[in-house]
Amino acid sequence: MFKKFILVFFIFFMCDLFAQKTPISIAPDAKPNSGSNSGRITNRLGDTKLDSLSSRDEIKVELSEETKAKDYKIISYNRDTTIVDSTLTLLKDYRFNYLRKDNIELLAFHNQGQTFNNLAYKYDEVSLFPEIGAKAKQFNFHRIKDINYYHVPTPITELMYRAGLEQGQVLDALIALNITKRHNLSFQYKGLRSLGKYRHSLASHGNLRLTYSYKSKNKKYQLRTHVAAQEINNNENGGLYESSVLLFEANDPEFRDRARLETNFVNASNVLRTNRYYFEHDYHLLTQKDTLTNRELGIKLTHVFNYEKKHYQFDQKVKFANFGEAYKNIIHNKSDFEKLYNQLAVSLKTNAILGDLKLFGEHIKYDYRYNNMVILANNHIIPQSLHDNNVAIGAAWKTKIKSIDLQAKAAVNIVGDLKGNYIKAFASYTKDSLFVAKATIIQNSKAPNFNYILNQSDYKEYNWYNDTFKNEHTRSLLIDFKSDKWINTSLQATQLDNYTFISDTLAGLQPKPKQFAGTVNYIKVKASKALKYKKLTLDNTLMYQTVSNGSSVFRVPTFVTRNSIYYTNSVFKKKPLFLQTGITFKYFSKYFANAYNPVLSEFHIQNAVEIGNYPVFDVFANARVRNMRIFLKAEHVNSFLSPKKYYVSPNYPYRDFVIRFGIVWNFFI
């Protein structure tokens, strides 16, 4: 994986070097960067001069007057289109982490590249099919919906760098280019290596994504495809040993070097390796234009193919007594998951009133397996694998009438061992530029993840086959209201039947999957608003959560808040630099956070330790120079004054004070 990282980085470096030696005049609507920052989603290409790489023998290339900044498009899995954004906003600061997502609802372990505990949960997606499990390994996993496609008139590159903890860094490099107007490619690689402050907490990740999209000249045929190869590797130490917890909380000066604190073990690691090959194409039949609405009418045929392999592995050189008895002294657990998916669909595009109707059929062949069958002492058999062929049918409908957008989708498994169904309905209303109101209703039934049903391990207590587990049923109502003028709010009300969880350690037994007999009622309300006064801004986000009839197995803090006060201004003569500096405050109330289990890469219920009720202050100074954003942050500056009881999970402390530096840099040819 490291060799791949070096190779891809070298390619990107050479492309960027070439790009910087070729200044280009952009169309008149792409104005030079003045250093100001409007906060809008816009693309600033900069002027035609170079910074430090100018040379006398450069070739000046004039683009067509038809090429505009908005032509640099990013197309999501759902075919939503945005454009390359090189502005600097507070949201960019919140997203400047190795996930590159706003993680207000997550609680990060001390080292970047480690897992996250949940401060809240989202139930906004539907699926007929369970996953392999090992959910703690999948925060940095790029799913199909996370892959973007690009449509660009000229090559663009983005480099993201962020310093690691103690030793290491994360680099996310992208280059997108077009062979012709109809052929677009992108290459992206994210490599992470961070040593961490505590013993044996090294994180080493690699995420390679290659995409290609094509549209025929007559626009009747189009395809998009991607290849994703990912490896998420972590050393595991089991958290602090009991005596080390006391030394940490006592703030013993001899152990402020966290590497001196003893951990439960220093001989384990787990890894998730995945490969995915995705292909989607469609062909338009009988297309014509509605002369009144200028809407395209007709029939479209679609085929989707996806082949995916996942491997989860846990290794430990010497067994750990707290995990129970073992068949071997050296632990080697490995599971494999293979999925072949095909979808055939026909879509009928009609007028706005009747909308677009899509009928589809899906076939899924899956194989979740281990190397051997296990027979326990009570003659209970743990099978080697779960495998079958599943067939599902479904329909989707959508329409847009003026400012109202309506969508609905439903599907059901009709053949195979795995039973499941879902219904999802969505409505939104846009009032000019004042606000957008959305409402979503979800009903979903599917089997628990495979590792909850079947698991094998060299640790005796980690072998189970739960063939009597019922489908998990999820019912959610989601309401969102977004407005730049007023307050942004969201509501999620969720009911969970047969909620599957991993139990607490009882009577010396290890955690095992169980299903809650009642109904979990979970409500989450979030509100955010930015208050501005001249060049000062106070940005506030508050989240309230409550759980009834299920709080014994479903744990979240009641309150989570994040508040930032910051100053923005363009500085120096001719305003070449845009500055953003301030302080962010984060807090969540006490709760019995789930405990982390490295054998399963899962979190389980515990009733012994409450965490939370401590503030975290981060001081940041960010800047933007042309298309480069610079991020400098002093994290957890109050750790010198706070009592040493800041944890993310029992025995796993949050990070101490640390200074982080990073950049995000866009290059345009």
Side-chain angles (χ1 to χ4, degrees), residues 300-317:
K300 182 175 70 174
L301 302 178
T302 302
H303 171 234
V304 179
F305 168 85
N306 179 43
Y307 176 70
E308 193 163 10
K309 295 181 71 174
K310 294 182 180 180
H311 310 275
Y312 174 71
Q313 186 171 316
F314 173 81
D315 291 291
Q316 194 167 24
K317 295 179 180 178

Side-chain angles (χ1 to χ4, degrees), residues 131-133 335-336 367-370 372-374 380-387 448-457 462-467 469 513 600:
E131 291 292 336
I132 184 176
S335 61
D336 297 299
D367 187 9
Y368 171 73
R369 62 184 179 271
Y370 292 86
N372 302 291
M373 178 187 296
V374 176
H380 182 61
I381 297 177
I382 309 296
Q384 180 181 355
S385 67
L386 299 173
H387 57 274
N449 285 340
F450 283 116
N451 69 335
Y452 285 174
I453 299 173
L454 170 65
N455 194 75
Q456 290 187 15
S457 173
Y462 285 81
N463 290 274
W464 56 72
Y465 177 47
N466 297 308
D467 57 340
F469 272 6
L600 301 171

Side-chain angles (χ1 to χ4, degrees), residues 225-495:
T225 181
H226 75 255
V227 176
Q230 305 178 71
E231 181 178 300
I232 302 169
N233 198 331
N234 292 89
N235 286 349
E236 299 288 354
N237 58 29
L240 294 182
Y241 189 64
E242 291 181 3
S243 59
S244 296
V245 170
L246 299 177
L247 293 170
F248 169 76
E249 294 182 357
N251 197 25
D252 191 315
E254 295 294 325
F255 294 91
R256 289 175 183 169
D257 177 2
R258 300 309 188 192
R260 301 188 66 182
L261 288 171
E262 187 178 358
T263 55
N264 281 308
F265 45 81
V266 291
N267 57 8
S269 64
N270 53 32
V271 61
L272 178 68
R273 296 186 181 93
T274 72
N275 291 285
R276 182 173 61 243
Y277 307 92
Y278 179 84
F279 183 86
E280 176 185 351
H281 59 147
D282 53 60
Y283 185 77
H284 293 258
L285 299 172
L286 308 175
T287 58
Q288 64 178 15
K289 286 279 188 178
D290 186 331
T291 56
L292 295 178
T293 62
N294 200 34
R295 180 181 173 88
E296 187 179 81
L297 309 177
I299 299 174
K300 182 175 70 174
L301 302 178
T302 302
H303 171 234
V304 179
F305 168 85
N306 179 43
Y307 176 70
E308 193 163 10
K309 295 181 71 174
K310 294 182 180 180
H311 310 275
Y312 174 71
Q313 186 171 316
F314 173 81
D315 291 291
Q316 194 167 24
K317 295 179 180 178
V318 180
K319 64 182 180 181
F320 180 54
N322 286 10
F323 290 149
E325 297 182 1
Y327 295 109
K328 302 176 182 178
N329 193 46
I330 299 176
I331 307 300
H332 175 71
N333 300 340
K334 183 180 179 182
S335 61
D336 297 299
F337 176 57
E338 189 173 356
K339 180 173 70 174
L340 178 64
Y341 171 87
N342 278 280
Q343 182 195 85
L344 293 175
V346 56
S347 302
L348 177 64
K349 299 177 70 67
T350 65
N351 57 46
I353 296 177
L354 296 178
D356 299 340
L357 177 64
K358 177 181 178 181
L359 303 175
F360 60 87
E362 298 176 339
H363 171 260
I364 299 176
K365 181 181 180 181
Y366 66 91
D367 187 9
Y368 171 73
R369 62 184 179 271
Y370 292 86
N371 290 332
N372 302 291
M373 178 187 296
V374 176
I375 302 177
L376 302 181
N378 58 1
N379 290 325
H380 182 61
I381 297 177
I382 309 296
Q384 180 181 355
S385 67
L386 299 173
H387 57 274
D388 195 17
N389 286 272
N390 263 59
V391 176
I393 57 172
W397 173 82
K398 65 179 180 180
T399 189
K400 186 171 184 179
I401 305 173
K402 295 183 178 180
S403 299
I404 300 175
D405 186 8
L406 300 173
Q407 297 181 30
K409 187 177 182 181
V412 59
N413 283 332
I414 59 173
V415 176
D417 292 337
L418 294 177
K419 307 301 179 184
N421 60 76
Y422 66 74
I423 299 174
K424 182 175 183 179
F426 166 85
S428 72
Y429 174 74
T430 303
K431 177 61 176 177
D432 301 323
S433 59
L434 290 178
F435 67 85
V436 178
K438 301 178 182 179
T440 305
I441 297 176
I442 290 174
Q443 188 280 325
N444 194 184
S445 173
K446 69 180 184 68
N449 285 340
F450 283 116
N451 69 335
Y452 285 174
I453 299 173
L454 170 65
N455 194 75
Q456 290 187 15
S457 173
D458 288 333
Y459 284 112
K460 294 182 179 180
E461 293 294 335
Y462 285 81
N463 290 274
W464 56 72
Y465 177 47
N466 297 308
D467 57 340
T468 60
F469 272 6
K470 300 177 182 179
N471 274 14
E472 295 181 300
H473 298 280
T474 304
R475 296 177 295 276
S476 285
L477 169 65
L478 302 100
I479 299 175
D480 288 280
F481 180 87
K482 293 185 179 180
S483 172
D484 292 334
K485 184 177 180 180
W486 300 307
I487 192 170
N488 297 324
T489 58
S490 66
L491 165 69
Q492 175 183 282
T494 301
Q495 288 186 327

Side-chain angles (χ1 to χ4, degrees), residues 581-594:
T581 182
I583 187 167
T584 295
F585 163 80
K586 292 177 286 188
Y587 170 87
F588 62 93
S589 56
K590 271 192 173 183
Y591 78 116
F592 286 100
N594 290 344

Side-chain angles (χ1 to χ4, degrees), residues 177-207:
L177 65 153
N178 61 340
I179 302 174
T180 69
K181 187 176 182 179
R182 301 191 305 274
H183 299 264
N184 285 264
L185 302 167
S186 74
F187 308 86
Q188 191 165 2
Y189 184 82
K190 179 164 64 175
L192 177 148
R193 189 172 179 86
S194 185
L195 182 62
K197 293 287 187 179
Y198 293 86
R199 293 184 182 183
H200 206 67
S201 56
L202 172 69
S204 179
H205 297 190
N207 306 78

Side-chain angles (χ1 to χ4, degrees), residues 564-580:
S564 297
I565 183 169
Y566 61 101
Y567 169 84
T568 57
N569 195 14
S570 296
V571 296
F572 301 124
K573 189 177 181 180
K574 296 185 179 180
K575 300 180 179 180
L577 183 144
F578 178 77
L579 178 67
Q580 176 192 79

